[in-house]
Each structure stands twice: as structure tokens, then as C-alpha cells.
């Protein structure tokens, strides 16, 4: 069920590391996160999903994106830049979820209007806690714009 059906907004995870995908899926399960999690593994596929192209022509519009920076084909900052230049997608919340703690990545992500920057822990328990904090704030506390995800 998606937000357009009266359910919670879908979440798009853009992540190329299978281990991080599994941990995120586990965190959704453990945390009883009812939002549907869609996964794509590179930046170009993320844009196909969001623009309903190719294999993703029937994809739902997510209400929020969890975006890794270090991706094949198009990196996370290139994806974010393209989204922010598109009138139809520029208000879609994008949360950077990456292992990079580099100050230049943080600054550039916010310069490109990322909504938040979360650093992935290498410790599985801490990683799951990060996803739980994302859930508490972005999926339970924040009011998303009407039409996001639907």
C-alpha cells in the first residue's frame, strides 16, 4: 500500500552495497516500519525509477529517498543535482545515507539541497539505530508535502 492508497509513503533506497541493503531491510523489519522500501543499485537506475522509465515504468513515486553518495554510473550528488533541477521532483525529500564522513561531501550535499546527511556506521547495531532515527523523524514526525509519494 502506498501513500496514494491512504498508506504511508514509499521509501526509495539507492544503495549499491548488498550488505547495507540487507541491513536497511532488517532495520525496517525490526522497527516495524510499515513504509514500502524500494531498492535500486545505482544512480542511473534511481533516475529511471523516479522518471518511470524502462523497467520502472510502473514504479510508485516515493515520499522520501535514502541516497548513497558512492554509486556506479551516476553518483549520489549527480542524482541529487538532477532532482533539484526538476520542478516536478525538486521538493522530494532526499536524505543522504552514506559511509563518507568527508566534510566536502557533507557541504556539497547540503549545497545541493539535501534534506539531511546521515553517516552509515560499520557496526550493524548502530546502522540499524540510524535507520530507526530516520524512521522516528522522517516517517513519523515530519509532515511531507501533499502529493509526495503519491
Amino acid at each position: 500500500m502506498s501513500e496514494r492508497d491512504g498508506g504511508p509513503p514509499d521509501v526509495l533506497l539507492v544503495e549499491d552495497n548488498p550488505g547495507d541493503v540487507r541491513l536497511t531491510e532488517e532495520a525496517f523489519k525490526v522497527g516495524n516500519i510499515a513504509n514500502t522500501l524500494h531498492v535500486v543499485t545505482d544512480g542511473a537506475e534511481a533516475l529511471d525509477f523516479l522518471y518511470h522509465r524502462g523497467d520502472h515504468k510502473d514504479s510508485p513515486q516515493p515520499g522520501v529517498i535514502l541516497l548513497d553518495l558512492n554509486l556506479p554510473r551516476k553518483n549520489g550528488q549527480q542524482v541529487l543535482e538532477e532532482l533539484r533541477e526538476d520542478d516536478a521532483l525538486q521538493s522530494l525529500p532526499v536524505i543522504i545515507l552514506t559511509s563518507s564522513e568527508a566534510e566536502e561531501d557533507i557541504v556539497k550535499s547540503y549545497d545541493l539541497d539535501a534534506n539531511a546527511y546521515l553517516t552509515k556506521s560499520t557496526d550493524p547495531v548502530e546502522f540499524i539505530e540510524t535507520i530507526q532515527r530516520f524512521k522516528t523523524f522522517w516517517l513519523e514526525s515530519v509532515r511531507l508535502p501533499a502529493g509526495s509519494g503519491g
Side-chain angles (χ1 to χ4, degrees):
M1 174 161 43
S2 69
E3 186 179 35
R4 80 185 98 176
D5 302 322
D10 290 357
V11 176
L12 176 61
L13 173 64
V14 187
E15 174 60 66
D16 64 320
N17 181 317
D20 289 346
V21 170
R22 278 192 306 278
L23 276 174
T24 305
E25 290 170 339
E26 181 66 20
F28 268 59
K29 193 179 301 179
V30 167
N32 294 314
I33 300 175
N35 306 69
T36 300
L37 182 67
H38 303 274
V39 179
V40 295
T41 58
D42 66 57
E45 187 182 5
L47 293 170
D48 287 347
F49 187 98
L50 294 165
Y51 288 112
H52 312 288
R53 299 185 295 223
D55 292 341
H56 299 287
K57 65 182 173 93
D58 295 322
S59 64
Q61 199 63 26
V64 63
I65 299 172
L66 288 171
L67 179 64
D68 188 21
L69 290 181
N70 304 310
L71 298 166
R73 299 204 299 162
K74 276 191 184 252
N75 70 39
Q77 289 174 336
Q78 291 170 316
V79 171
L80 182 57
E81 187 170 18
E82 191 165 327
L83 294 178
R84 295 310 187 226
E85 291 173 353
D86 185 312
D87 290 342
L89 296 173
Q90 67 184 357
S91 65
L92 184 60
V94 177
I95 309 336
I96 303 300
L97 180 64
T98 187
S99 56
S100 174
E101 295 183 27
E103 185 66 21
E104 61 266 20
D105 286 340
I106 296 168
V107 169
K108 183 163 186 187
S109 294
Y110 282 115
D111 283 348
L112 293 171
D113 294 326
N115 296 90
Y117 192 102
L118 300 175
T119 304
K120 294 187 270 188
S121 174
T122 55
D123 177 86
V125 172
E126 289 179 14
F127 183 94
I128 289 172
E129 288 172 357
T130 297
I131 297 299
Q132 292 303 307
R133 286 191 298 274
F134 158 76
K135 169 198 174 197
T136 300
F137 186 75
W138 283 99
L139 302 178
E140 294 176 349
S141 301
V142 169
R143 287 198 48 166
L144 298 173
S148 80

